[in-house]
Amino acid sequence: AVMKPGDFFGERALVHGGGYHYDAVSPGCTELLSVSGDVILPFFRASRRLGRVLAKTTAQYSATDELRSVEEKLDPAMLGQVVSEVMRTDLACLKPEQTIREALEYFQERRFSTYPLVAADNKLVGVISRETFFDFLKRGDVSNDTQLDRIERMHLPICRDRDTVSKALEMMIRAGRYKCVVTNENNQLLGILTVMDLLGEAASHSLRKA
């Protein structure tokens, strides 16, 4: 795994106990902030949101076994398909310049858990979740006229439309996520792929064969 600025590691040893199973190697000069478990764990235990973040990152360590388990439930032919053949294109998109009021009205029409943010040229700007959106509403400096570009974005994997399902699946599970957004080489949004959709399609295919 390659860590980017803002990423963190070592949380699994704190949560589950035991030693560290991996080495961290810096290829160059790096600033690293180290926080002891006695300091950070009370924050995670007191905050459901931080707890969910921690649960997702610790899940990445069991990704290999999880990936194998999911792949065994899918037809090998499906794993070899390109993402554009199996992704969902019925998306509920928002624009960064839209307001809280406009988003709330839209949520009544399109009830999804995640909403891609796209620019005027349909280029992906980010993704927001309903959960993060409602957390944002609680802030004192937020009004119905606040624009959506101020909301924290979800970190969802991004795969290309010509990637194989196998590659996209590995990308999702290793990131501790169960969905990814699909773009073309120009970063224009094309669809969304979820592990649940793949498993559902595999189950339907089995029923049709039976």
Side-chain angles (χ1 to χ4, degrees), residues 8-62:
F8 55 90
F9 62 93
E11 70 283 1
R12 186 173 185 270
L14 293 176
V15 174
H16 300 292
Y20 294 96
H21 298 283
Y22 306 97
D23 294 326
V25 180
S26 171
C29 183
T30 302
E31 291 186 12
L32 175 66
L33 174 64
S34 176
V35 184
S36 73
D38 292 341
V39 172
I40 198 66
L41 279 180
F43 288 98
F44 281 109
R45 290 168 178 160
S47 168
R48 287 184 299 171
R49 185 176 178 188
L50 288 176
R52 287 192 296 269
V53 171
L54 194 63
K56 285 186 179 297
T57 59
T58 55
Q60 296 175 18
Y61 295 95
S62 59

Side-chain angles (χ1 to χ4, degrees), residues 40-114:
I40 198 66
L41 279 180
F43 288 98
F44 281 109
R45 290 168 178 160
S47 168
R48 287 184 299 171
R49 185 176 178 188
L50 288 176
R52 287 192 296 269
V53 171
L54 194 63
K56 285 186 179 297
T57 59
T58 55
Q60 296 175 18
Y61 295 95
S62 59
T64 299
D65 291 338
E66 185 175 350
L67 178 62
R68 187 179 301 112
S69 175
V70 174
E71 285 180 334
E72 289 173 352
K73 296 176 175 64
L74 300 178
D75 191 303
M78 176 184 285
L79 292 171
Q81 287 182 278
V82 294
V83 168
S84 59
E85 295 176 343
V86 294
M87 67 183 183
R88 275 195 286 122
T89 57
D90 177 28
L91 307 180
C93 299
L94 294 165
K95 291 182 168 48
E97 64 271 17
Q98 286 184 286
T99 63
I100 294 292
R101 179 185 290 104
E102 291 172 321
L104 285 170
E105 292 174 354
Y106 191 56
F107 286 174
Q108 299 304 309
E109 303 172 16
R110 308 295 302 278
R111 297 179 180 273
F112 287 84
S113 60
T114 54

Side-chain angles (χ1 to χ4, degrees), residues 109-165:
E109 303 172 16
R110 308 295 302 278
R111 297 179 180 273
F112 287 84
S113 60
T114 54
Y115 297 82
L117 287 177
V118 294
D121 54 2
N122 204 44
K123 287 191 176 180
L124 181 67
V125 177
V127 179
I128 62 173
S129 69
R130 289 177 74 97
E131 187 175 34
T132 303
F133 177 87
F134 290 119
D135 282 344
F136 183 71
L137 284 183
K138 301 172 188 175
R139 291 175 42 170
D141 61 341
V142 172
S143 71
N144 282 337
D145 295 320
T146 301
Q147 293 188 333
L148 301 181
D149 60 0
R150 288 182 52 192
I151 299 180
E152 180 185 356
R153 315 290 166 78
M154 279 184 76
H155 296 290
L156 281 185
I158 300 173
C159 64
R160 299 301 184 201
D161 54 329
R162 304 313 299 171
D163 286 343
T164 63
V165 169

